[in-house]
Every structure is written in structure tokens, then in C-alpha cells.
């Protein structure tokens, strides 16, 4: 069903079509991490302004934050924002897929597995899944154990009409407690890719997205500290294609995308990247106008020397609107960098 049918969130069919079009057209969707209803609206607004479909994702830390500091329940936090998104996304003229970001082994039972179960119940009742994809981050495990768990999760996800994302080798830096050193191990080999294809198949066992490593690092670092080699993705595609006879077999994900150069992004797109995660840059874009507001209105947001302050400037809406606008502009910029501007499904 197209957006004219007012489907609030992409159906499994539309999500697959989105990914297929990105692969064929050599563009990618920004995958924007959100932690609140306000950052969700900022992402939706950015996609709408760019006339681009997109992906919105919730990390384990984001879900814990959404669950509230009293219980910090990741599942209820993620489900609550997803249900909210299914309602409010109807007002935006784009297709949006909901995704969960990095989930390591010790959090699977408290996050991804229960969320897959929620979607399976919906699908069994004739509805669409709550989320459209989930990520299994087994990069801290041996590749053997990583792929064994990946096989189990892929089968469960496929039964719930969900796409799985797998990370087979480390991304440097730190995100939500998963930490990897920045070193020469941040590069996936052709052998790693072949073992992945042998374990997870190339579509016959269910669709998955592959987060391969080509020097990726979470966060933003000064020039020269990170050496990205997106041309490596071409070697991975070719190595697996040669053995299995399927051209360009992988749908790649670009992790650690904040701060990447336009040339690095372009090379990644040419080699099969269909999704690029963006978090650090959008966090800064959201927070920057808030800091500006607080500095400029110091004596209004605080009751200085017993004064009453100024309700108009400490009202969260006064700075929240500026934060949403700024983040939306950064999302729109990402759509341009990833060539997804103007590509929304009609």
C-alpha cells in the first residue's frame, strides 16, 4: 500500500521495496536514532522535508531511557515509542521503517527476542509487525557463535515478517556499552563474508542487512584518527558473488556514519550500502539550539536572586521547537548526502 492509503509505517512489502530501490539506485536511507517523541518528530520532519523515505531506530540505551528512569524497561520503552510512531507518522508524506539498533548477546532476552515475539503475535493476528527490522550485534563474540545466534534470530524474524541486521565484525569506539578498540581488526575479510553467506544464506533463509566493518568508528573523531576503506565492500561483494553466483549479494549498513566525508559515503553507496546510521551528528544538532537558548536566556530560565524568571523561556516548548527544527535540518542534509532526497515511494 502506498502513502495515499495512509499506512503510518512501512509494511514489510514496502520496506523490502525501499531497500531494493536503494540498492538499484545506489542511494541509502539515513537511519536516525531517536530517544523521545520530540526526536522522533524531528526525524520524520527531516525525511518529509527531503521527500525521502527513511529509517528510525531505537538503541538499547535509547529504549531504556524511553522506559523511564523508575523501571528502565527497554521493551516497554521501545514498544511505547513504536506505537506512538504508528499514529503520528500518518501525518508525514513519507514511508518510515522502525528498527532497533545495536543489541549485544547479554541484552537479547531483554530486548530483541521479546520485541520479535510482540511482532509475531501481531502477524499471527493478521496485522503487520510492530518493528520492521532488528539488529543483532554479535561483534563481541566469535564469528562462529555470532552466526549461530544469527541463524536462530533470522528464522524468528522471518516468521514475524521482520528483516534482521547483523554485525559480523567490530565497529570501533563505544555505543551503549559495546566497546571496541580502534585498530586493524576493524576490517571485515572476504572469508568473514563467505562464512556469513554459508550460515545465513543469501535470501533463501530470510532477508538480512549486513553491517560489515571497513574501519568504522562510532562517534566523531578528528581527521586522521579513523581510516575508512569503503572500497573494501566491493571486495566482499565480489568474493561472495564468485562462489555463490549471485551478483552484489549483500545489502550493507554503514555504521559510524557521523563525520564521514562525502567521498567516503559515495564509495560506500556504489558498493551496496542501503542504510547509514546517524546518531552523534543529530544529537549535537538537537542539543546545540537548546544550549544557545539557555545561555541567551540565563536570567529567564533560572529564578536568579529570588526573582520569578520568565515562564515563556523556561517552558520546554520554547527551546524544544528550535531543537526539533535543527535536528530535522540535519536529517534533511543526511538525505542529500546519501542521495535519497526526492526518492520517496509515491
Amino acid at each position: 500500500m502506498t502513502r495515499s492509503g495512509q499506512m503510518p509505517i512501512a509494511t514489510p512489502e514496502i520496506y523490502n521495496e525501499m531497500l531494493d530501490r536503494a540498492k538499484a539506485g545506489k542511494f541509502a536511507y539515513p537511519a536516525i536514532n531517536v530517544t523521545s517523541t520530540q526526536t522522533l518528530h524531528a526525524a520524520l520532519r527531516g525525511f518529509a522535508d527531503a521527500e525521502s523515505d527513511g529509517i528510525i531506530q531505537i538503541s538499547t540505551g535509547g529504549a531504556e531511557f524511553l522506559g523511564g528512569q523508575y523501571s528502565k524497561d527497554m521493551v516497554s520503552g521501545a514498544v511505547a515509542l513504536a506505537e506512538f510512531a504508528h499514529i503520528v507518522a500518518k501525518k508525514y508524506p513519507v514511508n518510515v521503517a522502525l528498527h532497533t539498533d545495536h543489541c549485544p548477546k547479554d541484552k537479547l532476552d531483554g530486548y530483541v527476542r521479546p520485541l520479535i515475539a510482540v511482532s509475531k503475535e501481531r502477524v499471527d493476528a493478521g496485522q503487520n509487525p510492530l518493528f520492521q527490522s532488528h539488529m543483532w550485534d554479535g561483534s563481541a563474540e566469535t564469528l562462529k557463535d555470532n552466526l549461530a545466534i544469527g541463524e536462530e534470530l533470522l528464522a524468528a524474524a522471518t516468521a514475524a515478517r521482520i528483516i534482521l541486521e547483523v554485525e559480523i565484525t567490530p565497529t570501533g569506539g563505544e555505543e551503549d556499552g559495546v566497546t571496541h578498540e580502534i585498530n586493524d581488526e576493524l576490517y571485515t575479510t572476504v572469508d568473514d563474508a563467505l562464512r556469513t553467506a554459508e550460515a545465513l544464506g543469501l535470501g533463501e533463509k530470510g532477508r538480512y542487512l549486513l553491517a560489515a566493518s571497513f574501519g568504522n568508528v562510532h562517534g566523531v573523531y578528528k581527521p586522521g584518527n579513523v581510516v575508512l576503506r569503503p572500497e573494501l565492500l566491493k571486495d566482499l561483494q565480489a568474493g561472495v558473488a564468485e562462489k555463490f553466483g549471485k551478483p552484489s549479494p549483500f545489502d550493507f549498513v554503514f555504521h559510524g556514519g557521523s563525520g564521514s566525508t562525502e567521498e567516503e559515503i559515495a564509495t560506500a553507496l556504489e558498493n551496496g550500502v542501503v542504510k547509514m546510521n546517524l546518531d552523534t551528528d543529530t544529537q549535537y544538532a538537537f542539543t546545540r539550539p537548546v544550549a544557545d537558548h539557555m545561555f541567551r536566556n540565563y536570567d529567564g530560565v533560572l529564578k536568579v536572586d529570588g526573582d520569578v524568571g520568565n515562564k515563556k523561556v523556561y517552558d520546554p516548548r520554547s527551546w524544544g521547537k528550535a531543537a526539533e527544527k535543527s535536528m530535522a535540518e540535519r536529517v534533511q542534509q543526511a538525505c542529500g548526502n546519501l542521495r535519497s532526497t526526492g526518492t520517496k515511494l509515491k
Side-chain angles (χ1 to χ4, degrees):
M1 186 177 294
T2 63
R3 293 302 299 186
S4 61
Q6 283 294 291
M7 288 300 295
I9 297 294
T11 63
E13 293 81 7
I14 286 179
Y15 191 28
N16 276 283
E17 185 178 354
M18 285 168 56
L19 297 173
D20 289 343
R21 291 177 73 246
K23 184 80 166 287
K26 296 187 182 300
F27 66 88
Y29 297 106
I32 308 300
N33 283 70
V34 299
T35 55
S36 65
T37 57
Q38 193 167 21
T39 51
L40 169 68
H41 273 296
L44 290 167
R45 179 175 171 181
F47 288 133
D49 289 344
E51 297 188 338
S52 169
D53 299 321
I55 299 170
I56 289 172
Q57 56 191 26
I58 306 171
S59 67
T60 54
E64 183 180 274
F65 179 76
L66 285 159
Q69 298 309 291
Y70 181 78
S71 66
K72 298 183 179 181
D73 183 71
M74 293 187 292
V75 173
S76 62
V79 168
L81 193 67
E83 293 282 12
F84 182 84
H86 276 259
I87 295 172
V88 300
K90 293 178 184 179
K91 303 301 180 181
Y92 295 86
V94 288
N95 302 284
V96 178
L98 300 179
H99 175 79
T100 59
D101 201 10
H102 292 269
C103 183
K105 183 178 179 179
D106 63 343
K107 294 183 179 178
L108 283 174
D109 287 340
Y111 195 47
V112 165
R113 287 191 177 110
L115 289 176
I116 291 177
V118 168
S119 286
K120 184 63 165 59
E121 289 181 10
R122 290 169 61 105
V123 168
D124 288 345
Q127 301 173 330
N128 287 314
L130 183 62
F131 282 86
Q132 287 63 60
S133 52
H134 293 294
M135 182 187 177
W136 151 232
D137 182 357
S139 59
E141 315 301 321
T142 65
L143 186 56
K144 179 181 178 181
D145 290 344
N146 184 342
L147 293 174
I149 294 173
E151 284 188 86
E152 170 239 318
L153 292 173
L154 181 60
T158 301
R161 304 182 71 201
I162 291 168
I163 293 172
L164 185 69
E165 178 182 332
V166 296
E167 181 168 353
I168 56 171
T169 45
T171 294
E174 186 273 335
E175 182 170 21
D176 282 345
V178 179
T179 303
H180 293 292
E181 291 184 9
I182 303 174
N183 55 35
D184 291 340
E185 295 183 5
L186 303 182
Y187 301 93
T188 302
T189 66
V190 171
D191 182 64
D192 295 331
L194 288 169
R195 290 175 63 185
T196 300
E198 289 166 357
L200 304 183
L202 292 174
E204 69 276 9
K205 295 183 179 181
R207 188 167 192 171
Y208 62 92
L209 306 175
L210 181 61
S213 306
F214 49 94
N216 317 60
V217 175
H218 291 127
V220 174
Y221 292 80
K222 292 181 179 180
N225 285 21
V226 177
V227 180
L228 286 178
R229 292 171 48 203
E231 66 277 4
L232 174 67
L233 299 178
K234 183 178 181 180
D235 298 335
L236 303 183
Q237 297 278 32
V240 173
E242 181 179 0
K243 179 171 182 178
F244 291 91
K246 181 176 181 178
S248 191
F250 292 125
D251 299 326
F252 285 125
V253 179
F254 189 153
H255 280 254
S258 294
S260 302
T261 68
E262 291 186 15
E263 182 180 3
E264 289 165 342
I265 293 171
T267 301
L269 297 178
E270 292 296 323
N271 293 321
V273 165
V274 297
K275 171 181 180 279
M276 187 177 89
N277 292 7
L278 202 66
D279 188 16
T280 304
D281 283 3
T282 50
Q283 285 179 338
Y284 183 79
F286 184 86
T287 302
R288 180 64 183 82
V290 179
D292 179 67
H293 177 91
M294 299 303 170
F295 280 125
R296 286 190 299 104
N297 297 284
Y298 177 82
D299 57 348
V301 296
L302 297 178
K303 297 182 179 181
V304 180
D305 296 329
D307 205 345
V308 296
N310 183 349
K311 183 181 184 302
K312 289 184 178 180
V313 296
Y314 62 72
D315 183 335
R317 290 170 294 184
S318 64
W319 49 262
K321 292 175 182 177
E324 179 188 312
K325 179 177 182 292
S326 177
M327 181 173 165
E329 289 171 350
R330 183 61 185 87
V331 172
Q332 187 175 3
Q333 178 188 336
C335 292
N337 293 339
L338 295 178
R339 307 175 185 166
S340 70
T341 299
T343 65
K344 70 174 183 177
L345 289 167
K346 304 302 181 183

